[in-house]
């Protein structure tokens, strides 16, 4: 092993390694006897004024539930220690391709925390939340403007949820036409959520192959069109980090054959301010506010996936809708004769979406302005090309010869040493202090490594990342055996990922006997 700290680092009394603190499971350190709060005890059964059963309406527990208890300082330390074993965008560059892990501007946070936005309740009378509705309305306006579309459904709560919204709108439009089209065409390079969405909505999914240059095979797609095809789902820029140049031609052909075009807009950050999907014939596209518009992502906050719609799909949009009437903002909760919801397919969520994300995204849009948003796309593309060109001499870049990439750089495992894989490179990168890039996706490239630096990284940050990835790639090409067991400096070294996926241990087994009885 090449562990720089030597053997002694692994054998401290505590298991801690300086600032890297070990932490046991809460079930191991907690005890059912401990609590951070002193209760006075529940009223006795004999308490004539208010017997315990009267409080709980017969739902009182018969046995302890076995939750481990900690004192307050123990609980705080437990979760703080665990959080330090995590990687976050606030710690460093987060190269996950297709995820757009970019800096979340603090101005967004400041706006979202204003009490008038942060403390609104979805059931508040509409008169008392006019400002919040105006934020939703304004954000909707800018999303429609930036995409060149007709309307937008704000309520979907993530990209995948937005896909479902778009596909349900397509389904409703087909039903209104009295047509029974069952097939959705999805390119091979699609994000897994695309075929999953189509299947979930009851469609049959058929693959469209990719060309040798990583784009949709337009001829194959056109050849498959027909009266049974409901539509296509295409990501643009696609998950190989390439612009689908034929999208307009594809849209025209799909429309001529009576179908609809769903565009997966997860990578809109690469074209915002430069290309309007509406001009390319798109009928529905989700926008991941947590990607393009910099709202927190993953553990940092809920997603939000508004869906922009063409004129043809607008009548089928989900409820509710914010509408401005006579200077007042209304929340339209029911189908009306209005153009937006005349034939709504229904409701996707109880309320109208993620208020905190709307506030952050609108702040981001307004603080960048038209020129700033265009620069976002340009810098995202420039940064990805910088990574691509800086590493293509050491890592195989399958489409590197096809010209510049868009927002992400794609590499393969083609020239690693015998027995070394993309996984080894990813694990080596952890020792260098980076979250690994996206690996083994897209599926059209063997051993794919997909790097999306985003526009928020400086040249210095990119140079350091490129240096780290270059060093790990060189070790993988030279066949450094230490790389096969990396990471060495992480809280845990290499795990058996196959076992973890096939036989995950999701339940704490050694619960105290009294508690295991359920
Ligand atoms: C992230 C992503 C999705 C799914 O979006 P979520 O917000 O994670 O549900 C779909 N397609 C592509 C290409 C993506 O990158």
């Amino acid at each position: 092993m090449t562990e720089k700290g030597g053997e002694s680092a692994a054998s401290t009394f505590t298991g801690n390694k300086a600032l890297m603190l070990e932490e046991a499971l809460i079930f191991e350190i907690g005890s059912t006897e401990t609590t951070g709060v002193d209760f006075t005890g529940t009223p006795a059964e004999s308490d004539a004024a208010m017997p315990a059963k009267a409080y709980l309406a017969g739902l009182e527990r018969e046995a302890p539930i076995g939750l481990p208890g900690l004192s307050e300082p123990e609980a705080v330390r437990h979760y703080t220690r665990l959080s330090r074993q995590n990687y976050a965008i606030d710690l460093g560059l987060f190269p996950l391709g297709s995820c757009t892990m970019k800096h979340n501007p603090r101005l967004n946070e400041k706006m979202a925390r204003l009490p008038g936005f942060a403390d609104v309740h979805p059931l508040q009378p509409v008169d008392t939340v006019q400002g919040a509705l105006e934020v939703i309305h304004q954000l909707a306006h800018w999303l429609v403007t930036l995409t060149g579309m007709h309307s937008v459904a704000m309520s979907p709560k993530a990209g995948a949820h937005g896909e479902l919204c778009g596909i349900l709108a397509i389904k409703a439009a087909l039903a209104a036409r009295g047509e029974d089209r069952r097939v959705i065409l999805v390119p091979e390079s699609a994000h897994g959520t695309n075929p999953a969405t189509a299947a979930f909505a009851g469609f049959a999914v058929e693959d469209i192959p990719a060309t040798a240059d990583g784009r949709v095979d337009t001829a194959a797609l056109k050849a498959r069109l027909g009266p049974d095809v409901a539509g296509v789902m295409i990501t643009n820029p696609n998950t190989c980090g390439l612009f689908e140049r034929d999208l307009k031609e594809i849209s025209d052909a799909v429309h001529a054959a009576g179908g609809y075009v769903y565009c997966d807009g997860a990578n809109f950050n690469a074209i915002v301010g430069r290309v309007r999907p509406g001009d390319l014939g798109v009928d529905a596209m989700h926008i991941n506010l947590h990607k393009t518009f910099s709202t927190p992502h993953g553990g940092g906050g809920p997603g939000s996936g508004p869906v922009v719609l063409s004129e043809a799909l607008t009548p089928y949009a989900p409820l509710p809708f914010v509408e401005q009437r006579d200077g007042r903002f209304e929340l339209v909760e029911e189908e009306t004769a209005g153009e937006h919801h005349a034939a709504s397919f229904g409701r996707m969520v109880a309320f109208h979406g993620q208020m905190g994300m709307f506030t952050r995204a609108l702040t981001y849009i307004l603080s960048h302005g038209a020129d700033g948003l265009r620069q976002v796309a340009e810098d995202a593309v420039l940064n990805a090309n910088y990574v691509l060109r800086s590493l293509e001499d050491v890592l195989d870049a399958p489409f590197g010869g096809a010209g510049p990439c868009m927002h992400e750089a794609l590499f393969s495992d083609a020239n690693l040493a015998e027995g070394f894989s993309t996984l080894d490179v990813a694990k080596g990168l952890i020792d260098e202090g980076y979250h690994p890039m996206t690996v083994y996706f897209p599926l059209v490239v063997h051993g794919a490594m997909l790097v999306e630096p985003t526009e928020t990284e400086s040249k210095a940050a990119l140079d350091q990342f490129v240096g780290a990835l270059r060093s790990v790639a060189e070790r993988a090409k030279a066949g450094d055996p230490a790389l096969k067991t990396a990471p060495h400096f992480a809280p845990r070294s290499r795990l058996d990922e196959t076992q973890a996926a096939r036989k995950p241990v999701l339940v704490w087994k050694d619960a105290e006997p009294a508690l295991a009885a359920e």
Side-chain angles (χ1 to χ4, degrees):
M1 256 186 28
T2 60
E3 191 165 337
K4 287 181 192 143
E7 287 304 306
S8 62
S11 54
T12 55
F13 172 76
T14 51
N16 298 337
K17 295 174 189 168
L19 296 179
M20 181 61 76
L21 303 177
E22 269 299 312
E23 188 60 5
L25 295 177
I26 197 167
F27 288 94
E28 292 165 324
I29 58 175
S31 131
T32 50
E33 305 306 313
T34 313
T35 168
V37 193
D38 284 335
F39 291 113
T40 49
T42 45
E45 205 44 45
S46 55
D47 186 337
M50 192 55 154
K53 287 206 158 91
Y55 280 111
L56 299 170
L59 294 173
E60 65 279 6
R61 291 190 188 286
E62 306 287 324
I65 54 171
L67 286 182
L70 298 176
S71 68
E72 184 175 300
E74 286 169 338
V76 169
R77 284 181 183 162
H78 177 68
Y79 289 107
T80 305
R81 287 178 173 190
L82 289 182
S83 75
R84 287 164 42 115
Q85 300 187 358
N86 208 349
Y87 192 81
I89 191 65
D90 290 348
L91 286 173
L93 189 154
F94 209 133
L96 267 186
S98 206
C99 290
T100 313
M101 305 299 288
K102 66 185 182 186
H103 173 65
N104 308 145
R106 291 314 187 254
L107 182 64
N108 298 357
E109 300 304 317
K110 189 170 178 182
M111 293 302 114
R113 281 168 175 70
L114 292 175
F117 297 130
D119 296 344
V120 291
H121 190 281
L123 293 178
Q124 248 174 274
V126 165
D127 281 336
T128 67
V129 288
Q130 286 290 302
L133 294 184
E134 186 170 359
V135 165
I136 301 178
H137 189 74
Q138 266 205 33
L139 177 61
H141 165 77
W142 288 117
L143 296 179
V144 165
T145 304
L146 286 166
T147 53
M149 298 287 283
H150 194 74
S151 67
V152 57
M154 298 297 286
S155 63
K157 302 225 174 192
H161 203 209
E163 289 173 31
L164 183 62
C165 171
I167 293 298
L168 289 180
I170 289 173
K171 196 172 180 174
L174 288 170
R177 277 163 40 185
E179 290 181 33
D180 185 25
R181 292 171 175 250
R182 292 280 171 95
V183 178
I184 297 268
L185 305 179
V186 180
E188 269 180 348
S189 64
H191 195 268
T193 49
N194 293 187
T197 296
F200 186 73
F203 290 99
V205 179
E206 286 185 27
D207 271 357
I208 296 296
T211 58
D213 74 348
R215 294 180 170 86
V216 175
D217 185 335
T218 305
L221 186 145
K222 282 182 170 176
R224 180 58 190 85
L225 293 173
D228 60 335
V229 174
V232 296
M233 294 183 87
I234 292 186
T235 308
N236 201 17
N238 71 21
T239 54
C240 296
L242 302 171
F243 191 76
E244 295 286 359
R245 300 186 203 106
D246 292 346
L247 187 53
K248 181 72 172 75
E249 185 186 340
I250 290 172
S251 301
D252 289 347
V254 171
H255 289 153
Y260 295 95
V261 178
Y262 187 91
C263 180
D264 181 327
N267 302 328
F268 188 51
N269 58 305
I271 56 173
V272 61
R274 300 216 41 145
V275 177
R276 301 190 313 166
D279 297 337
L280 302 177
V282 168
D283 288 298
M285 181 180 94
H286 71 261
I287 299 169
N288 309 61
L289 298 186
H290 47 289
K291 295 182 181 174
T292 305
F293 295 108
S294 80
T295 71
H297 199 166
S304 182
V307 178
V308 286
L309 296 165
S310 64
E311 193 170 359
L313 291 185
T314 292
Y316 309 100
L319 297 164
F321 244 85
V322 175
E323 230 178 40
Q324 192 173 15
R325 288 184 197 147
D326 311 324
R328 227 183 90 86
F329 295 96
E330 303 274 356
L331 197 57
V332 182
E333 302 266 9
E334 319 240 326
E335 280 185 29
T336 69
E339 60 158 351
H340 285 333
H341 20 71
S344 171
F345 70 71
R347 187 180 274 269
M348 299 198 75
V349 294
F351 301 111
H352 24 74
Q354 308 281 26
M355 192 64 224
M357 298 305 127
F358 295 158
T359 313
R360 288 173 176 88
L362 182 61
T363 304
Y364 183 81
I365 289 174
L366 296 181
S367 59
H368 279 71
D371 56 336
L373 287 177
R374 172 186 259 260
Q375 195 183 337
V376 161
E378 290 171 353
D379 289 351
V381 171
L382 182 64
N383 278 359
N385 278 283
Y386 185 74
V387 170
L388 180 66
R389 296 304 171 215
S390 302
L391 288 166
E392 63 186 350
D393 64 315
V394 60
L395 280 171
D396 172 60
F399 307 123
C405 61
M406 294 296 289
H407 58 300
E408 50 200 358
L410 181 57
F411 302 101
S412 87
D413 61 0
N415 55 19
L416 305 182
E418 179 76 28
F420 282 76
S421 67
T422 290
L423 187 70
D424 301 319
V425 177
K427 298 299 183 188
L429 210 47
I430 295 175
D431 276 341
E432 295 288 346
Y434 288 102
H435 191 289
M437 59 293 197
T438 290
V439 293
Y440 300 104
F441 177 82
L443 303 176
V444 287
V445 167
H446 193 272
M449 300 175 222
L450 189 62
V451 177
E452 180 173 11
T454 83
E455 78 283 0
T456 56
E457 298 304 330
S458 65
K459 180 168 178 296
L462 294 182
D463 283 337
Q464 201 198 32
F465 172 75
V466 162
L469 185 47
R470 167 177 292 281
S471 153
V472 176
E474 277 167 355
R475 289 169 61 201
K477 288 175 79 171
D480 176 0
L483 197 57
K484 292 297 302 177
T485 48
H488 302 290
F489 306 138
R492 291 294 175 271
S493 116
R494 193 168 311 196
L495 307 174
D496 184 340
E497 297 188 355
T498 311
Q499 279 285 93
R502 298 244 164 99
K503 292 186 183 164
V505 180
L506 302 175
V507 176
W508 172 243
K509 290 259 177 52
D510 291 342
E512 291 169 38
L515 308 171
E518 298 206 16

